[in-house]
Amino acid sequence: MSHSQEFYTKGKYKIIYGMRNEFTICYNETKPIVNNYWQSVNPMMKTLPIFLLQLSVAIAIGRVFMIVLRPLRQPRFLSQLLAGVLLGPGALGISGRVANDLTPFEGSMFLETMANLGVTFYMFLVGLEMDLTPIQKMGKTALSVAISGMLLPLAAGVGLHSMALQRQTVRAPEMGAYFWSIALSLTSFPDLARMLSDLKLMYTDLGKTALTAAVVNDLSCWCLLVVAVSLINGEKELYVAIPVLVGMTIFWFSLRPLIRKILRYISATSKEATTSDKHIYFILSLVFLSGFVTELCGAHSIFGAFMFGLMIPGGELGTTIMDKVEEFVVGILLPPIFLITGTRTNIQYIFADYSVGLVIAVVLLASSAKIISALLVCLYLKCPVRDGLALGVLMNTKGVLALIILNEGRNMKGFDQQTFSWIVVAIAFMTAIIGPIVSYTHKSERHLKYMDRHLEKCKIEAPIRILACVHSTRNLSAMITLLEISNATRKSPVTVFAVHLVELAGRASAMLIFHDKDKTADTGHTCSREKAEAEQIVSAFESFEDNNHGATVKPLTAVSPYATMHEDVNHFALDKIANIILIPFHRRSDPVGGWTEENVQHKLVNQNLLATSPCSIGLLVDRGLTSFAEAQKGTQQECRIAMLFVEGTDDREALAYAWRMAGTPSVTLSVIRFVPGKDGLEFMENSGDNEEEPDIFTAMFERETQKQLDDDYINQFRFKTMHDQSIAYVEIQVNSGDQIVSAISSEFYDFDLYVVGRGHGSTSQLTAGLSTWSEFPELGVMGETLISMNLETPASVLVVQQSHPVSSGSKKFTSNSTKDVFGNKGVPAFVNHRKSVDGF
């Protein structure tokens, strides 16, 4: 022992102090005798039992934090980080029982080993999940945000670390500035994807811009980290770092085509239709080899695993690996890194030898570097400040990758425990503010802009935006036919957002893939059969666009759990300012007019959409709606449409859509308005007497208001269509629902499509007798009546509902949803099949 060293004994540990505030802890391996029937050695003195206890406690506390923070819209990363800090020396670690039995020094080496194994496999999954396609077509905004999001945080990291060094009594190595800067510049792509999914912003222009910029940030930060680690290992000699970078580049470009050839050969020679387990195990074994090679190059094993993940081609193989491995890696192998971070964080002494103001200033400045950079870019590009603030906060998503960088710097003695605690607190603060700020900047007040986007409020020749949803190719023909008769012309163009709704099975990659028409779409998250179906749907919608010069189609595949699929559709409709959402009915008809099957999950999606939709919605019941594309080319075939008008906002919205359809060649429209006869008027007047006294005048006023609106819109419709030979208007006096059914059966039975209002939120006395029993409440009274009638030729029905203001407590139908091992719902993935959208 050197004369400059001293030591003292504390309990069972001998602590040897050296120079530069470093110390070494020595301990004797003891085997105390215990009095039990199984063994004579205390099992808690062994490494493996200690690790199992640590892992169990960390996961359990993390689950508790997740339950507590879930209402606050906080991600699972923050829960796991707080669990680690709680078990650290600044909280429960103060207790001698916790320090000796749960986080003893002799168990730290094995815990760090398992943590390194976990982050190695986690980085492989990050590379596997990351899609580099958006980089090839990234827009000006995303590129500017990525560059500014690197430069300003890099400078802030160096400046803040220098500020900390000036006040330290014992100087920490200046290499800590490398890791501070890289950690502040990083945007964690996988954590950002999950955050955007939870906030329902992944498929918006804001989400796509953030994800594209995050890919660039991630790759740049990992390159900087390789340089930093190489420089430190090479004693700050640049000539040592250059061969490392060259060697890893050669490793990438030489192995990447070889890996793809091997996987292609395995796929061609395999007798099984899907990827077998032995192929998965072979690929996982290569993760160890990749980590070993990069360790030989002087870099950490995480770099090799990350690069190997990027080498694996997307598609069914990547999805299969994620499904089989991710839950084990994230749920079991990853919690040790949170516990390691917590044991290195001591919040009790975070203000020791420093003023409170200085520490708070460092944390706030570190947290705001990314936000300021994004705001400056958005102001320069004249983007809304609201979007700039949200984008800056989203780009501040750090996640597990930041902890990996910080722990790597701590292992290399880049900073001491106090400065390490500062940056950990800053990361926790950055993560905590993302959900509230983004929710505030994109709150539900966006519903207000739909007040003037109802079809009833739009001119007939005005451009409209339709969100057309299909679950499979079975819904395709009727949906495209409905779009064909929606009168898409150059004078009144129609923009169609064609959304293929796919259930999230297992774990789909959170990615964005942009495709041109001439390129094959690789969704990357589905099996071969589902991929072929998705390509068929995209091709059908693109053919519709080619045949209709007034239509613009933007296909999109949405992968989401059925329980939350309506939220994704609603947010997409909000972002794209859609006028109406078209969805298929959950049952299919057979050739004789009956029903063949019922999909309960599709019914759940439809009910939730009708209950929460921010815009008008049309539910299409297909009973043989055939294509009328040839009719528009000069044949004699006609599409006969009947619009049945009773009363209310939904009926006016349905009439507005039917009125637009009437402009399509070879389409005839008959508007049948049912008005109360003499007996019906008396019945309606007497029904008001049965209401409670405070509600009488309110109901009468509302009824008269709606009747006046109905009359005004009907008069406007009749005046503007009086010379149109393809439109007919009829008024029928009825006194009950039975007379409505009788009139339809005797006079208005020979049509191809009926358009009706759902009548949501209102009750009409004319249809009171028809609503005593309902099997399909989502169709409304008139819609369900039409599909239950025995007409000579079963006709398709379009049920329209105008959007109504909804609150956060609106009724929503629930079902069992896909959850991961942490209890989080599955992450939806959106795959855009068209051009790159820069956002803003």
Side-chain angles (χ1 to χ4, degrees):
M1 182 181 299
S2 172
H3 68 279
S4 61
Q5 297 176 331
E6 60 182 29
F7 70 92
Y8 74 96
T9 302
K10 181 180 180 180
K12 61 180 179 180
Y13 304 111
K14 180 180 290 185
I15 304 177
I16 304 175
Y17 279 92
M19 300 179 64
R20 296 179 62 185
N21 202 26
E22 298 177 3
F23 58 88
T24 304
I25 298 178
C26 303
Y27 61 91
N28 295 321
E29 184 177 1
T30 59
K31 297 182 178 182
I33 304 300
V34 293
N35 185 17
N36 57 44
Y37 294 100
W38 295 282
Q39 52 185 331
S40 60
V41 178
N42 186 356
M44 293 309 299
M45 298 304 298
K46 297 181 181 179
T47 303
L48 182 59
I50 293 176
F51 171 73
L52 296 178
L53 178 63
Q54 291 172 335
L55 188 62
S56 302
V57 174
I59 293 176
I61 296 179
R63 292 282 299 184
V64 173
F65 271 112
M66 189 187 67
I67 295 173
V68 173
L69 297 178
R70 182 181 298 167
L72 302 178
R73 305 179 69 90
Q74 297 299 329
R76 71 183 184 204
F77 164 76
L78 184 61
S79 302
Q80 297 298 315
L81 179 59
L82 293 179
V85 173
L86 182 64
L87 295 174
L92 296 181
I94 299 177
S95 170
R97 185 64 180 266
V98 174
N100 293 331
D101 296 340
L102 188 61
T103 58
F105 290 111
E106 52 264 43
S108 60
M109 292 300 296
F110 188 76
L111 181 63
E112 291 185 17
T113 302
M114 295 304 298
N116 288 329
L117 178 64
V119 297
T120 298
F121 272 96
Y122 179 77
M123 289 309 302
F124 165 71
L125 296 182
V126 170
L128 185 66
E129 187 178 21
M130 185 175 293
D131 176 46
L132 303 181
T133 306
I135 299 180
Q136 303 173 3
K137 299 181 180 181
M138 66 186 306
K140 180 180 179 181
T141 303
L143 180 61
S144 301
V145 170
I147 294 175
S148 64
M150 286 288 300
L151 298 180
L152 187 58
L154 282 174
V158 175
L160 293 176
H161 192 267
S162 300
M163 183 188 304
L165 285 177
Q166 291 177 0
R167 297 294 305 272
Q168 283 186 298
T169 56
V170 180
R171 292 174 59 86
E174 296 181 0
M175 69 182 70
Y178 301 156
F179 297 99
W180 267 47
S181 301
I182 297 173
L184 293 182
S185 302
L186 176 74
T187 299
S188 177
F189 176 83
D191 293 277
L192 175 61
R194 287 161 179 78
M195 183 70 69
L196 290 172
S197 172
D198 293 338
L199 297 171
K200 303 303 176 184
L201 293 173
M202 178 176 292
Y203 42 88
T204 63
D205 292 336
L206 174 67
K208 288 184 284 188
T209 301
L211 276 180
T212 304
V215 173
V216 178
N217 273 168
D218 263 10
L219 295 178
S220 302
C221 287
W222 286 119
C223 292
L224 292 176
L225 186 59
V226 171
V227 173
V229 172
S230 303
L231 287 175
I232 295 171
N233 289 337
E235 299 181 356
K236 301 183 181 181
E237 297 294 338
L238 185 60
Y239 69 86
V240 178
I242 294 177
V244 173
L245 291 176
V246 173
M248 295 183 66
T249 303
I250 296 174
F251 172 75
W252 163 265
F253 284 103
S254 61
L255 279 187
R256 190 167 187 261
L258 179 61
I259 292 295
R260 290 181 177 270
K261 288 182 179 180
I262 293 175
L263 296 177
R264 194 179 300 114
Y265 173 78
I266 292 176
S267 178
T269 57
S270 177
K271 297 181 180 180
E272 301 178 10
T274 59
T275 306
S276 63
D277 290 342
K278 62 181 180 182
H279 298 153
I280 303 298
Y281 302 148
F282 170 73
I283 293 173
L284 294 180
S285 64
L286 294 180
V287 176
F288 294 104
L289 180 61
S290 302
F292 174 72
V293 172
T294 50
E295 287 282 358
L296 293 180
C297 294
H300 198 285
S301 60
I302 59 178
F303 302 117
F306 175 69
M307 293 172 64
F308 180 66
L310 288 176
M311 296 178 192
I312 303 297
E316 182 182 354
L317 177 61
T319 303
T320 304
I321 296 176
M322 295 290 290
D323 291 342
K324 290 182 176 293
V325 177
E326 188 193 24
E327 290 189 356
F328 176 75
V329 172
V330 175
I332 303 299
L333 295 183
L334 203 56
I337 190 64
F338 294 102
L339 187 55
I340 287 291
T341 304
T343 57
R344 292 174 172 180
T345 304
N346 194 337
I347 58 177
Q348 185 179 7
Y349 297 105
I350 194 172
F351 298 113
D353 300 327
Y354 291 91
S355 65
V356 176
L358 176 64
V359 176
I360 294 177
V362 170
V363 172
L364 292 180
L365 290 174
S367 304
S368 59
K370 280 269 190 181
I371 301 176
I372 294 175
S373 65
L375 275 174
L376 292 176
V377 170
C378 290
L379 291 176
Y380 175 75
L381 297 176
K382 298 181 180 180
C383 301
V385 177
R386 175 179 66 92
D387 291 334
L389 177 62
L391 182 59
V393 173
L394 289 172
M395 294 300 294
N396 235 356
T397 305
K398 301 303 178 184
V400 180
L401 304 186
L403 297 185
I404 295 174
I405 294 174
L406 293 178
N407 281 282
E408 185 67 16
R410 186 76 175 101
N411 292 336
M412 294 186 172
K413 303 175 184 178
F415 30 73
D416 57 12
Q417 186 185 50
Q418 195 167 17
T419 53
F420 182 87
S421 301
W422 289 2
I423 195 67
V424 170
V425 171
I427 289 176
F429 176 71
M430 296 177 200
T431 306
I433 64 176
I434 294 176
I437 291 181
V438 176
S439 298
Y440 175 76
T441 57
H442 289 72
K443 58 184 179 180
S444 59
E445 65 182 11
R446 292 188 298 172
H447 288 261
L448 296 176
K449 64 186 178 182
Y450 277 94
M451 296 304 294
D452 295 329
R453 295 199 61 83
H454 295 151
L455 296 176
E456 176 190 355
K457 303 292 184 181
C458 298
K459 296 181 179 179
I460 297 302
E461 65 276 5
I464 63 172
R465 301 163 74 87
I466 299 176
L467 187 64
C469 303
V470 294
H471 292 282
S472 65
T473 53
R474 297 174 179 176
N475 316 131
L476 195 56
S477 176
M479 186 63 67
I480 290 182
T481 300
L482 183 60
L483 295 174
E484 287 175 346
I485 60 177
S486 296
N487 193 27
T489 62
R490 296 187 185 276
K491 184 180 179 180
S492 57
V494 175
T495 301
V496 179
F497 299 95
V499 182
H500 178 204
L501 302 177
V502 180
E503 180 188 10
L504 179 67
R507 169 64 173 82
S509 300
M511 67 180 73
L512 292 172
I513 304 176
F514 305 94
H515 296 268
D516 292 326
K517 278 187 175 183
D518 300 331
K519 294 185 179 180
T520 302
D522 182 12
T523 57
H525 63 276
T526 56
C527 66
S528 300
R529 180 181 58 81
E530 294 172 339
K531 179 181 177 181
E533 184 178 44
E535 292 176 351
Q536 183 179 353
I537 291 174
V538 172
S539 177
F541 277 107
E542 290 178 345
S543 298
F544 159 74
E545 180 184 21
D546 295 336
N547 296 329
N548 295 266
H549 300 296
T552 302
V553 177
K554 298 180 180 179
L556 185 86
T557 298
V559 184
S560 178
Y562 280 129
T564 59
M565 189 174 286
H566 65 284
E567 298 178 5
D568 304 318
V569 174
N570 288 340
H571 280 78
F572 187 73
L574 275 171
D575 185 67
K576 298 306 178 184
I577 319 179
N579 297 89
I580 187 170
I581 300 174
L582 299 179
I583 54 176
F585 190 50
H586 67 276
R587 301 191 70 173
R588 295 176 58 242
S589 62
D590 57 23
V592 296
W595 305 102
T596 57
E597 60 182 21
E598 176 176 355
N599 192 308
V600 179
Q601 297 294 345
H602 293 178
K603 180 179 181 179
L604 172 70
V605 174
N606 292 345
Q607 291 176 334
N608 287 335
L609 280 173
L610 289 167
T612 62
S613 175
C615 62
S616 298
I617 188 167
L619 180 58
L620 177 61
V621 183
D622 178 25
R623 306 183 77 185
L625 188 63
T626 56
S627 176
F628 294 92
E630 296 298 327
Q632 301 178 21
K633 298 180 181 179
T635 63
Q636 299 299 317
Q637 186 181 10
E638 288 185 348
C639 178
R640 295 159 300 178
I641 301 176
M643 192 279 140
L644 306 182
F645 192 101
V646 180
E647 65 178 18
T649 57
D650 292 349
D651 286 53
R652 296 196 298 271
E653 192 76 0
L655 175 58
Y657 195 17
W659 188 358
R660 185 180 184 92
M661 293 180 185
T664 307
S666 302
V667 169
T668 60
L669 172 64
S670 297
V671 177
I672 300 97
R673 184 185 186 186
F674 298 101
V675 295
K678 182 178 179 180
D679 296 339
L681 287 173
E682 295 178 356
F683 177 77
M684 294 173 64
E685 292 174 357
N686 294 332
S687 63
D689 298 336
N690 297 329
E691 299 178 6
E692 297 181 1
E693 185 69 24
D695 299 332
I696 293 178
F697 296 104
T698 302
M700 292 178 60
F701 177 77
E702 179 65 24
R703 187 180 300 118
E704 289 299 324
T705 301
Q706 290 298 325
K707 184 179 183 302
Q708 185 63 43
L709 292 174
D710 292 343
D711 292 340
D712 291 343
Y713 196 71
I714 287 290
N715 291 334
Q716 178 186 358
F717 166 75
R718 296 183 64 183
F719 177 77
K720 292 186 177 181
T721 60
M722 64 173 62
H723 301 297
D724 193 335
Q725 300 299 321
S726 63
I727 298 178
Y729 175 81
V730 180
E731 283 190 0
I732 304 294
Q733 289 188 353
V734 293
N735 298 314
S736 64
D738 293 337
Q739 293 185 8
I740 293 178
V741 174
S742 177
I744 296 174
S745 302
S746 59
E747 300 181 48
F748 310 107
Y749 57 87
D750 191 16
F751 290 93
D752 301 299
L753 175 66
Y754 288 96
V755 182
V756 297
R758 183 175 178 234
H760 174 65
S762 63
T763 56
S764 174
Q765 300 301 330
L766 295 180
T767 60
L770 302 176
S771 58
T772 54
W773 180 84
S774 176
E775 183 181 1
F776 306 114
E778 60 269 29
L779 297 179
V781 177
M782 292 299 297
E784 188 168 8
T785 299
L786 287 170
I787 68 170
S788 61
M789 293 176 61
N790 295 322
L791 300 177
E792 293 183 3
T793 303
S796 300
V797 180
L798 177 64
V799 181
V800 179
Q801 172 186 293
Q802 190 179 88
S803 62
H804 301 278
V806 294
S807 62
S808 58
S810 298
K811 180 179 179 181
K812 182 177 77 68
F813 299 87
T814 58
S815 176
N816 294 331
S817 59
T818 304
K819 296 184 179 181
D820 59 15
V821 291
F822 292 93
N824 290 323
K825 294 178 181 178
V827 180
F830 287 84
V831 185
N832 195 339
H833 297 280
R834 287 298 297 261
K835 312 171 199 175
S836 170
V837 180
D838 182 32
F840 310 112

